[in-house]
Amino acid sequence: MNNTQLNATDKTTAPRMAVKSKEFKVASRPVVSYSGTLQNELLAALPREVLESLFEHLELVTLPFGKELFEFGGAMDYVHFPTTAIVSLLYVMEDGATTEIAVVGHEGVVGVSLFEGERAMCSAVVQAAGYGYRMKAQHLRDAFNQGGALPALLMRYNTALFAQMAQNAVGGRHSSIEQKLCRWLLDRLDRSPSNELKVTQEMISIMLGVRRESITAAAGKLQDDGLITYRRGNITVLDRSGLEAYAGECYKVAKTEYDRLLVDVARN
């Protein structure tokens, strides 16, 4: 945990709002600080005055591995802005089979519902434990309806998220197991602080909707090619550029769309 997170988890029992110090405290809630919220790239892209207007409704929360933020068909009561956690968006079949349709980390937001009573079209489960900020969905809808930078940013992000989902769908049909695995690893690498990932082959097989034996064979091939090493639930990426080349279009289109989003935001 970095210093920002340590400071952000300090408790206080005295309600306080200090605009000049860019902190907001209420009852026993953790401090919401300007520097802390910048760990999420969407929040960081907002003009400072817009971001500070959300402080009253933002709450720093722990997101443990396996926590379900919402389920398919359920209400999305909260919106989450991950900072160090990684969240999988999953489609679950009636027979329990699961396929990952997108992944969200410090670059994005999970659970946006712009209409009251809207139901989730997928499930959201924390795949890598960490932290994030959350706010009630109604508060985000209220801020969205005020117009300005927030709705424009959210709509741009949804475009990038849709590009990721579209490429996952196309890749699921036309890519090899090795390409799917490369894309899956790169998606996590983009949202992780290092080139090491704690993940089991069983989890990858569930997320990709393929047999574990297929993942074992694909991981072995990538290791033989010097792209990764795999030991006891830990995957270390040795050659990122090689991994990107192997993943091909399956990864590059969605990454290009998100990079374009960041450029557009920087221009505004």
Side-chain angles (χ1 to χ4, degrees), residues 132-189:
Y133 289 90
R134 76 172 185 178
M135 66 187 302
K136 290 185 177 179
Q138 184 58 55
H139 292 320
L140 185 66
R141 285 195 289 269
D142 293 341
F144 185 95
N145 291 332
Q146 292 177 12
L150 179 61
L153 182 63
L154 288 178
M155 286 187 287
R156 285 193 182 105
Y157 175 71
N158 280 340
T159 299
L161 187 63
F162 179 78
Q164 182 187 162
M165 291 180 176
Q167 285 306 303
N168 285 349
V170 173
R173 182 175 178 84
H174 299 289
S175 299
S176 66
I177 296 295
E178 290 82 5
Q179 287 177 313
K180 293 177 184 178
L181 177 58
C182 287
R183 184 214 75 216
W184 195 91
L185 294 174
L186 287 165
D187 282 343
R188 269 91 195 144
L189 209 61

Side-chain angles (χ1 to χ4, degrees), residues 141-240:
R141 285 195 289 269
D142 293 341
F144 185 95
N145 291 332
Q146 292 177 12
L150 179 61
L153 182 63
L154 288 178
M155 286 187 287
R156 285 193 182 105
Y157 175 71
N158 280 340
T159 299
L161 187 63
F162 179 78
Q164 182 187 162
M165 291 180 176
Q167 285 306 303
N168 285 349
V170 173
R173 182 175 178 84
H174 299 289
S175 299
S176 66
I177 296 295
E178 290 82 5
Q179 287 177 313
K180 293 177 184 178
L181 177 58
C182 287
R183 184 214 75 216
W184 195 91
L185 294 174
L186 287 165
D187 282 343
R188 269 91 195 144
L189 209 61
D190 289 340
R191 296 161 176 85
S192 301
S194 72
N195 64 336
E196 295 183 4
L197 304 172
K198 293 185 180 299
V199 61
T200 64
Q201 291 184 3
E202 181 177 5
M203 177 185 290
I204 297 174
S205 68
I206 292 172
M207 294 295 103
L208 292 181
V210 299
R211 296 184 305 116
R212 180 177 176 178
E213 292 79 7
S214 298
I215 296 299
T216 299
K221 188 175 191 316
L222 296 181
Q223 183 164 252
D224 291 342
D225 290 343
L227 302 180
I228 67 171
T229 58
Y230 178 79
R231 293 186 182 87
R232 296 181 180 178
N234 287 279
I235 293 179
T236 301
V237 175
L238 303 177
D239 183 355
R240 182 190 173 105

Side-chain angles (χ1 to χ4, degrees), residues 48-61:
R48 184 162 184 155
E49 64 274 13
V50 175
L51 177 53
E52 289 172 0
S53 72
L54 303 177
F55 280 9
E56 180 180 359
H57 306 299
L58 286 172
E59 177 187 6
L60 180 68
V61 292

Side-chain angles (χ1 to χ4, degrees), residues 11 26 57 67 78 84 87 89 93 110 165 179 227 258:
K11 303 288 185 178
V26 120
H57 306 299
K67 179 179 177 61
Y78 287 94
T84 58
V87 180
L89 302 185
M93 304 291 288
V110 180
M165 291 180 176
Q179 287 177 313
L227 302 180
Y258 187 72

